[in-house]
Amino acid sequence: MQIKALQKAGLEAIQSTDSIEHLEAIRVEYLGKKGLLTALLKNVAQIPPEERPRIGADVNEAKMSLNAAIEAQMLRLKEARLHAQLAAERLDVTLPGRQVTLGSLHPVTQIRQWINDYFMRIGFDIVDGPEIETDYYNFEALNIPLTHPARAMHDTFYFGDGRLLRTHTSPIQIRAMMESQPPYRLIAPGRVYRCDSDMTHTPMFHQIEGFCIDDRANLANLKALLHHLFSSLFQQDVQVRFRASYFPFTEPSAEVDIQCVHCQGKGCRSCQSTGWLEVLGCGMVHPAVLKAVNIDPQHHQGWAFGMGLDRLAMLYFGIDDLRMMFENDLNFLKQF
Amino acid sequence: MKVSEQWLRAWCDPALSSEDLAKKITLGGLEIDTVVPVAHAFTGVVVAHVMATEPHPEADRLTLCQVDAGLSEPLSIVCGAKNVRPGLKVALAMVGAQLAPDFIIKRARLRGQWSEGMLCSAEELGMQDQAEGILELPSSAPIGMDVRTYLSLNDHIFEMSITPNRGDCLSVYGIARDVAGLTGAPLRPLDIEPMPGVPMDDLPCVRVQADEACPYYAFRVIRGLSTTLETPLDVVERLRRSGLTPIHPVVDYLHEVMIEYGQPMHAFDLNLIGQSLTLRYAKPEETLTLLQGQTVTLDASTVVMADERGPLAMAGVMGGLSSAVTPATVDIFIESAHFTPSALSGVARRFGLTTDASQRFERGVDPALIEQALTIVTRRIVDTLGGVPSPIQWVTHPPKSDATCVLFKPERFEQITGVPLARDFIATSLRRLGFVCDDGVSPWKVTVPSYRFDIAYDVDLIEEVLRVYGYDRIQPVLHLDVAHPLNVPIKRNIQHTMQKVLHCFQHRGYHEAIHYSFVDPALQRFITQDASTMVLLNPISSELSEMRLSLWPGLLASVLYNQHRQQTNIRLCEIGVVFPTTKEGRVDEVLHFGGIATGMKGLFHWGEPTSPIDFFDVKGDVESWFLSAWPHQKLRFKAAEHPALHPGQSAQIVLNDDVVGWIGAVHPACLNALGIETSVFVFEWKLSEADVRTYYEPISKYPCIRRDLSLLMPTALPVEDVLTCIRQGVEPSYLKSLSVFDYYLGEHLPEGQKSIAVTLLLQHPDRTWVDEDIQLMMTTILKTLQTELGVTLRE
């Protein structure tokens, strides 16, 4: 009956332990090479032969039952240990992560990039030109001779040697046309300067010039393109309205209004209740400008536009104070 | 330019509401910015006569008035204005009158006295922004008449921006003529009653010397004007609605005719000018005191009217004070002339003078107006002030015919605009705008009216027809030929690199800033002591007068600006052109990228401490860009001194042996001068196109061996020299990476030594390393390090 007693004591020990290490010790104590049950078998010589099979079977049964109990208990204990580990490793996942603080791109840059991408997708190239210009490229070649009253429209910054800061991106048109032959499909973004500083003017601002010259590009084409451009930018159907206007370097010339994107043309503060926002000037490139760059206006024609990027960025992002644009206040920049 | 709608409609009255008329005119190219009513929408205000006044018994400042408003009984009115007096004609708001939505006049007791209405000021009626006292009406005003009717107040002022090409529209008549063309409504004909005048033999003698500036000149004198009469109210009102204040009846009539027809004229007091007048260029240093009191020093490009004693007026701009008409003037000399736009160009800029006259002459005035305007104004002056006019005296008369003729192919209209129009419509439109159109020939011969100075090309005519048709009616036609001209390869553009560098720094925590390209010269001196740049002649202010040579002045100013607004962690970057000049005066416009950083490191976390940004944070930012933009080029940082930078924390950025830029800590002296109290790090380089094209290298299948070397080196020796030496000792295709994992400077090291520890990862492209290979390599490297640089293995 020694076997049964051992088996019972073993099972009790197994049940009562709560440590994997102790359980291992119990396994060694009972089932190891020098374990208690193993020891019983070593005494087999002293057992009458007729009892040996029964005792052998009893020991085996005891071993199996202890083994099974140990395996079952081991499973329970490992599970409990995993649970304990998981509980201990619990995080407050709502604490902030380890971020690298991100910077931002200036709203003008974002709009410029959008417009650049738009025009590149429809097959335009980007060109640029100097910011310090000569009178010839900024005025003369654009059909604005010295005595032209339109010079008053441009409050020009001058240098002592007669050079000036370009007042618009249009001189890039002239330079581009002098460098190669038509057809042209080009845009030219850049900084421009006018000697004017108040609530609605900064002495430096950004324009983008676009022009397309081939043998048949006309005003109706430009209108369609601008409608597509603004509808794509604002992701809504944006109506475009042409108004007769005047620029010395285009004829016919037009101011372009878009339907107010804030009130859909119903009239609001942004559009001063008119339902329209003035966004750019454009027209058909003047024959005098084409002649200045040795292009025959009888065989080539095309349109050009010049658009203020700062104003467009303000519209797009809902910025209502122009002066914020170049103050570089972090509270402003961080918003974009 | 301000234009009274009523006045405009007196010439051309299309069947359109005020709003629709304004829209039509705006779409036609004469932009109307605002439409403002000339008075509030008041009711119940009538002309009344103050019969008697007496002081209010209880209040010093109030007056009791007996007022005749055309009713059976006079009304008792209490008035607080100082200018109320018996005999005055006034605007009376009767009981029940409404002056504003919530302002209705009631019978009221003022300090115990009943007032049956209120005498109104121009301000209360919305006719002026500010007014002293009550409105005084002419003695001829009919008692009891509605003031709105009497003063024609159902009118709007159109505030217009006339583009420089449309000098012909700087007049009410000119705009009406265009409106007639745009709408098809009839234009009232110019019926000018002749005013022949009486021959006189003692007229001044006028000579025109500056005939290219003044090709046509006429004048007449009027003698014996009344000095007691005032400008009639309707003229005063018209002037007011045009933005002019009454000055003197003669001047007011000249102004009225100028506003109505567009011809500026000038009147001199005949008795204050000499007998021999010359229109000539000013002599150097001649001075003239102008009407508004300013004394100007003239130059040889200024045209003046002068008598024997000197200049009397700046021709086409403004008269002089000494010869101006005064309340005592009885005889006048009226000049009506044509000054060419080039004669006036630059006057505004040189003298800071823009007048109604100069603005018109600058844009071109119809020579036909010289005689018409002089005739009309003489009639008006004589009818009101009396006097006897002389006949018009012509010094130079405009030629009879000198009309511009433009050849026009009507099919060009559709070519240019994309709008198909019938030829009849095109011809009719041109005629409606005053062109004489001979469409019986090919190409058409189109004669330009004398008042249009802006028509020379067929496209000018196309614009005119399009204005009549309506720009807003252009139907969009989507069309592009082959998108890109395929005979020209598409060029790579710097815009791509600009975008890439901005994104790189944005992701490293920098905010893109945009600064003006002109900076404060004082700030610029801190940064670049000897370089020269372009200086503006006419800057907005002296702080914005010099073209920048570096992006740092702007970035430093923005750090200061933001620190003043409680920002402590500031990282800004910018892309922009800088403008260095060479000794020969040539300007190089160089595209730069730069940045600035101050405050704490970019990583903020509750679990870890942070520390202030140091040189190596910023250097890491810079390295990230160069390694991503030029992965296969050689980048080096060479210790060097820069006037704006800390001498021990500054380096040149060297790409393939070219110094492209600088990085460093801003010099403490510079920070001190700016009032910045934190360490600030800056960098800047010339931005050139990134070259990210990579050539594939086969990947070795053989194991990689790692060797660490702990080295002792002289304190003054740059670590980079050691790294270069190690690189040179290994076949480049074997060395997968070389990195510094420890650096120590301090105690427990031999005198004058510092230590570094580096890791080499070595891999052979086509076999497994054997120990001897590595051993040999290490031995060679160590030997070279020792002999060339005095660097030894640390035991």
Side-chain angles (χ1 to χ4, degrees):
Chain A
M1 283 327 291
Q2 220 182 343
I3 298 168
K4 291 285 174 206
L6 265 178
Q7 184 179 356
K8 190 169 174 247
L11 285 174
E12 274 169 13
I14 290 165
Q15 296 308 327
S16 60
T17 186
D18 57 357
S19 134
I20 290 172
E21 293 71 27
H22 190 214
L23 191 60
E24 280 299 334
I26 293 170
R27 186 202 301 273
V28 174
E29 185 186 352
Y30 286 87
L31 305 173
K33 281 181 184 161
K34 295 175 182 170
L36 298 170
L37 278 171
T38 322
L40 283 181
L41 287 178
K42 283 185 179 158
N43 299 334
V44 80
Q46 295 156 15
I47 297 167
E50 64 278 13
E51 286 187 26
R52 282 180 196 168
R54 189 181 53 82
I55 286 178
D58 283 354
V59 169
N60 267 338
E61 197 245 56
K63 271 188 168 177
M64 279 166 67
S65 96
L66 285 179
N67 241 334
I70 287 169
E71 286 310 313
Q73 182 69 345
M74 188 61 90
L75 208 63
R76 266 197 301 280
L77 288 177
K78 280 192 171 162
E79 204 164 292
R81 175 184 279 193
L82 181 63
H83 271 121
Q85 182 195 350
L86 291 179
E89 287 174 1
R90 190 171 194 87
L91 296 182
D92 180 351
V93 296
T94 65
L95 275 169
R98 219 168 263 117
Q99 299 174 11
V100 173
T101 322
L102 275 186
S104 58
L105 297 185
H106 196 282
V108 170
T109 298
Q110 293 191 37
I111 283 292
R112 185 190 63 219
Q113 188 54 32
W114 192 94
I115 305 264
N116 283 354
D117 288 346
Y118 173 87
F119 278 99
M120 286 197 285
R121 283 173 73 171
I122 61 168
F124 280 61
D125 279 350
I126 305 178
V127 286
D128 58 14
E131 295 180 17
I132 294 181
E133 266 297 1
T134 61
D135 190 89
Y136 178 76
Y137 287 104
N138 198 73
F139 291 122
E140 286 278 346
L142 287 161
N143 197 28
I144 319 175
L146 194 60
T147 58
H148 201 289
R151 290 225 179 183
M153 291 158 80
H154 298 248
D155 297 302
T156 313
F157 282 115
Y158 286 95
F159 297 103
D161 61 359
R163 277 183 285 184
L164 47 87
L165 281 172
R166 66 179 177 205
T167 58
H168 47 187
T169 41
S170 305
I172 308 176
Q173 237 187 76
I174 301 297
R175 290 179 178 274
M177 289 194 288
M178 283 179 162
E179 268 174 26
S180 62
Q181 294 303 307
Y184 307 105
R185 281 180 193 82
L186 299 171
I187 55 164
R191 292 184 179 211
V192 298
Y193 304 85
R194 290 190 198 173
C195 189
D196 200 354
S197 183
D198 57 32
M199 290 286 286
T200 53
H201 298 89
T202 50
M204 180 193 88
F205 54 104
H206 298 80
Q207 274 190 346
I208 192 160
E209 187 85 1
F211 63 107
C212 170
I213 291 168
D214 52 25
D215 53 359
R216 57 177 178 156
N218 64 35
L219 267 191
N221 302 154
L222 175 59
K223 189 169 184 179
L225 179 65
L226 292 174
H227 176 247
H228 184 246
L229 166 74
F230 289 110
S231 297
S232 305
L233 176 63
F234 291 103
Q235 293 286 298
Q236 51 179 281
D237 183 29
V238 178
Q239 288 306 305
V240 170
R241 181 176 81 172
F242 277 27
R243 258 189 297 123
S245 190
Y246 170 71
F247 306 104
F249 34 93
T250 51
E251 189 77 21
S253 301
E255 288 278 5
V256 178
D257 300 331
I258 58 169
Q259 196 178 48
C260 179
V261 291
H262 296 130
C263 62
Q264 274 69 46
K266 291 182 199 79
C268 67
R269 239 187 69 209
S270 305
C271 59
Q272 291 164 330
S273 309
T274 61
W276 296 96
L277 299 163
E278 189 177 314
V279 287
L280 62 90
C282 68
M284 296 296 292
V285 177
H286 199 288
V289 173
L290 293 175
K291 278 182 197 158
V293 292
N294 292 320
I295 293 174
D296 181 358
Q298 293 305 315
H299 295 105
H300 289 98
Q301 64 177 56
W303 49 257
F305 69 82
M307 175 162 63
L309 286 175
D310 314 77
R311 199 173 136 62
L312 193 61
M314 288 174 71
L315 266 182
Y316 187 81
F317 292 104
I319 301 164
D320 59 2
D321 184 355
L322 175 69
R323 291 168 306 175
M324 290 307 298
M325 300 295 273
F326 308 121
E327 264 172 9
N328 299 308
D329 189 322
L330 275 175
N331 288 324
F332 173 80
L333 297 177
K334 280 177 178 173
Q335 296 184 31
F336 300 98
Chain B
M1 178 176 175
K2 289 180 173 179
V3 177
S4 151
E5 182 189 356
Q6 252 175 25
W7 201 356
L8 178 63
R9 285 187 187 271
W11 283 104
C12 176
D13 188 14
L16 295 169
S17 69
S18 302
E19 195 182 318
D20 289 344
L21 177 60
K23 190 176 162 193
K24 184 85 188 168
I25 294 174
T26 298
L27 288 172
L30 309 175
E31 190 172 356
I32 297 181
D33 302 318
T34 53
V35 177
V36 187
V38 299
H40 290 161
F42 62 82
T43 59
V45 182
V46 298
V47 178
H49 179 227
V50 180
M51 297 158 67
T53 62
E54 57 179 295
H56 190 294
E58 306 289 328
D60 291 348
R61 292 186 182 174
L62 297 179
T63 310
L64 300 184
C65 313
Q66 290 298 305
V67 175
D68 177 6
L71 305 173
S72 51
E73 294 290 318
L75 299 171
S76 300
I77 308 286
V78 181
C79 180
K82 282 186 190 146
N83 62 333
V84 68
R85 58 188 183 271
L88 194 64
K89 287 280 179 71
V90 293
L92 168 69
M94 311 262 279
V95 171
Q98 185 164 18
L99 297 187
D102 51 357
F103 186 15
I104 293 171
I105 301 295
K106 298 188 184 88
R107 190 166 176 264
R109 245 167 119 104
L110 293 159
R111 295 278 185 109
Q113 299 291 324
W114 282 104
S115 184
E116 295 166 294
M118 185 181 94
L119 306 187
C120 302
S121 70
E123 185 180 341
E124 282 154 340
L125 299 179
M127 294 168 63
Q128 288 173 26
D129 290 340
Q130 274 188 322
E132 279 274 309
I134 53 171
L135 180 64
E136 300 190 12
L137 298 176
S139 54
S140 60
I143 294 168
M145 191 174 187
D146 188 279
V147 165
R148 289 200 83 83
T149 314
Y150 177 62
L151 292 176
S152 307
L153 293 179
N154 295 320
D155 189 11
H156 293 94
I157 296 168
F158 292 167
E159 290 251 22
M160 305 183 67
S161 303
I162 304 290
T163 51
N165 58 324
R166 296 306 303 273
D168 62 303
C169 287
L170 288 173
S171 67
V172 175
Y173 178 72
I175 294 166
R177 188 167 52 199
D178 211 55
V179 170
L182 293 177
T183 61
L187 178 70
R188 197 179 91 199
L190 263 186
D191 281 329
I192 300 171
E193 193 188 335
M195 193 73 196
V198 177
M200 300 176 185
D201 48 11
D202 51 350
L203 296 175
C205 167
V206 178
R207 279 188 312 138
V208 174
Q209 273 179 5
D211 53 350
E212 69 278 20
C214 177
Y216 321 123
Y217 193 98
F219 73 94
R220 87 194 310 174
V221 304
I222 306 177
R223 287 198 156 100
L225 299 176
S226 159
T227 55
T228 54
L229 294 167
E230 289 188 350
T231 309
L233 182 78
D234 57 336
V235 178
V236 171
E237 263 301 291
R238 282 176 161 191
L239 291 179
R240 176 178 80 81
R241 290 171 203 185
S242 309
L244 296 174
T245 39
I247 294 165
H248 179 283
V250 167
V251 177
D252 295 345
Y253 276 121
L254 291 170
H255 282 164
E256 189 195 27
V257 171
M258 174 184 72
I259 298 288
E260 191 163 7
Y261 298 93
Q263 171 70 43
M265 291 173 282
H266 183 65
F268 299 90
D269 184 322
L270 184 63
N271 300 315
L272 296 176
I273 57 176
Q275 272 296 304
S276 171
L277 303 174
T278 312
L279 197 84
R280 60 165 168 85
Y281 288 103
K283 295 164 189 160
E285 302 305 308
E286 260 183 333
T287 60
L288 174 65
T289 302
L290 298 169
L291 274 174
Q292 20 82 315
Q294 181 196 356
T295 300
V296 290
T297 304
L298 305 164
D299 58 35
S301 61
T302 317
V303 182
V304 293
M305 174 54 102
D307 64 5
E308 306 85 339
R309 286 160 298 180
L312 299 169
M314 252 170 106
V317 182
M318 194 184 274
L321 192 59
S322 66
S323 56
V325 292
T326 67
T329 300
V330 289
D331 301 334
I332 54 172
F333 172 105
I334 306 176
E335 161 193 290
S336 185
H338 180 86
F339 297 100
T340 59
S342 54
L344 274 300
S345 87
V347 168
R349 196 164 355 118
R350 290 206 307 280
F351 297 97
L353 267 180
T354 304
T355 63
D356 288 315
S358 68
Q359 206 191 5
R360 285 172 173 77
F361 285 127
E362 226 175 15
R363 285 159 176 72
V365 178
D366 181 4
L369 278 173
I370 297 175
E371 181 171 0
Q372 292 167 347
L374 193 50
T375 306
I376 294 164
V377 81
T378 308
R379 163 64 62 203
R380 292 187 186 174
I381 291 173
V382 170
D383 281 357
T384 311
L385 302 177
V388 180
S390 75
I392 291 176
Q393 306 295 306
W394 283 102
V395 179
T396 37
H397 197 288
K400 283 280 176 274
S401 77
D402 146 40
T404 312
C405 191
V406 179
L407 299 180
F408 181 57
K409 294 181 192 154
E411 61 272 21
R412 284 274 288 161
F413 185 87
E414 186 176 350
Q415 273 175 26
I416 292 288
T417 63
V419 178
L421 278 189
R423 292 179 174 221
D424 275 358
F425 183 90
I426 294 173
T428 311
S429 301
L430 288 170
R431 290 185 187 122
R432 234 159 77 173
L433 288 167
F435 294 86
V436 176
C437 179
D438 180 0
D439 57 356
V441 289
S442 182
W444 293 3
K445 274 177 75 175
V446 181
T447 309
V448 181
S450 62
Y451 48 85
R452 293 300 296 265
F453 293 83
D454 58 328
I455 308 288
Y457 292 82
D458 64 348
V459 283
D460 297 324
L461 298 176
I462 290 170
E463 176 168 283
E464 292 305 301
V465 175
L466 191 58
R467 291 197 309 121
V468 173
Y469 173 75
Y471 271 60
D472 52 328
R473 290 168 68 197
I474 300 172
Q475 288 303 310
V477 180
L478 206 46
H479 154 77
L480 277 177
D481 278 339
V482 180
H484 176 86
L486 294 179
N487 55 343
V488 185
I490 295 175
K491 275 189 215 150
R492 264 213 307 228
N493 191 282
I494 190 74
Q495 292 278 341
H496 179 70
T497 302
M498 287 167 69
Q499 212 53 34
K500 218 173 129 67
V501 72
L502 284 172
H503 279 299
C504 172
F505 279 81
Q506 178 197 7
H507 290 161
R508 300 187 72 86
Y510 289 79
H511 298 278
E512 189 204 356
I514 296 182
H515 297 95
Y516 291 153
S517 310
F518 18 71
V519 296
D520 187 348
L523 186 54
Q524 182 132 285
R525 287 293 85 74
F526 278 120
I527 288 152
T528 48
Q529 278 159 355
D530 44 7
S532 69
T533 184
M534 304 285 282
V535 180
L536 287 171
L537 280 187
N538 54 337
I540 289 285
S541 70
S542 59
E543 289 82 37
L544 296 173
S545 62
E546 197 171 281
M547 298 312 288
R548 63 185 178 185
L549 288 160
S550 159
L551 303 176
W552 293 346
L555 291 165
L556 279 167
S558 283
V559 161
L560 197 60
Y561 177 97
N562 280 293
Q563 282 187 340
H564 287 163
R565 282 158 186 79
Q566 295 176 296
Q567 300 284 353
T568 48
N569 300 309
I570 302 168
R571 284 169 190 243
L572 296 170
C573 63
E574 183 173 17
I575 277 191
V577 169
V578 300
F579 304 85
T581 46
T582 60
K583 283 196 189 78
E584 303 80 49
R586 192 166 53 84
V587 195
D588 286 325
E589 292 193 17
V590 190
L591 189 65
H592 273 204
F593 179 81
I596 197 161
T598 184
M600 306 303 270
K601 291 185 199 294
L603 185 75
F604 294 100
H605 198 250
W606 43 268
E608 286 154 48
T610 180
S611 55
I613 291 174
D614 65 23
F615 180 86
F616 296 102
D617 292 311
V618 179
K619 184 177 175 188
D621 294 333
V622 173
E623 286 171 321
S624 303
W625 161 249
F626 279 92
L627 295 176
S628 71
W630 289 275
H632 304 289
Q633 317 292 319
K634 203 172 80 189
L635 175 69
R636 250 171 11 102
F637 290 80
K638 184 172 170 247
E641 291 190 16
H642 184 287
L645 301 179
H646 188 303
Q649 298 185 18
S650 61
Q652 289 174 331
I653 303 171
V654 184
L655 187 69
N656 291 334
D657 303 325
D658 289 334
V659 177
V660 293
W662 285 87
I663 177 173
V666 178
H667 198 294
C670 177
L671 292 177
N672 200 27
L674 289 171
I676 296 176
E677 287 167 0
T678 57
S679 297
V680 177
F681 299 89
V682 289
F683 51 83
E684 176 168 10
W685 57 81
K686 180 184 165 187
L687 192 69
S688 45
E689 228 174 280
D691 179 11
V692 294
R693 184 168 173 187
T694 284
Y695 295 92
Y696 167 74
E697 281 174 32
I699 298 163
S700 169
K701 294 191 285 280
Y702 301 93
C704 209
I705 299 278
R706 174 185 164 143
R707 279 290 178 276
D708 291 349
L709 294 176
S710 187
L711 302 168
L712 271 179
M713 57 189 283
T715 315
L717 185 68
V719 169
E720 192 181 76
D721 291 5
V722 175
L723 299 179
T724 307
C725 183
I726 295 173
R727 274 199 197 94
Q728 282 164 355
V730 187
E731 160 67 36
S733 66
Y734 297 170
L735 186 64
K736 292 293 136 188
S737 83
L738 171 65
S739 50
V740 177
F741 71 91
D742 193 26
Y743 175 78
Y744 180 71
L745 180 66
E747 286 177 28
H748 313 301
L749 288 178
E751 184 72 18
Q753 300 276 299
K754 59 186 179 182
S755 81
I756 61 163
V758 298
T759 295
L760 294 87
L761 281 181
L762 299 157
Q763 192 176 30
H764 200 285
D766 37 42
R767 67 178 172 84
T768 306
W769 290 118
V770 289
D771 266 356
E772 289 75 43
D773 296 333
I774 304 292
Q775 219 39 64
L776 186 66
M777 237 185 289
M778 291 304 122
T779 312
T780 323
I781 288 172
L782 286 171
K783 200 169 161 192
T784 324
L785 279 174
Q786 176 144 31
T787 51
E788 289 191 4
L789 302 172
V791 175
T792 54
L793 199 61
R794 189 177 175 191
E795 302 302 336

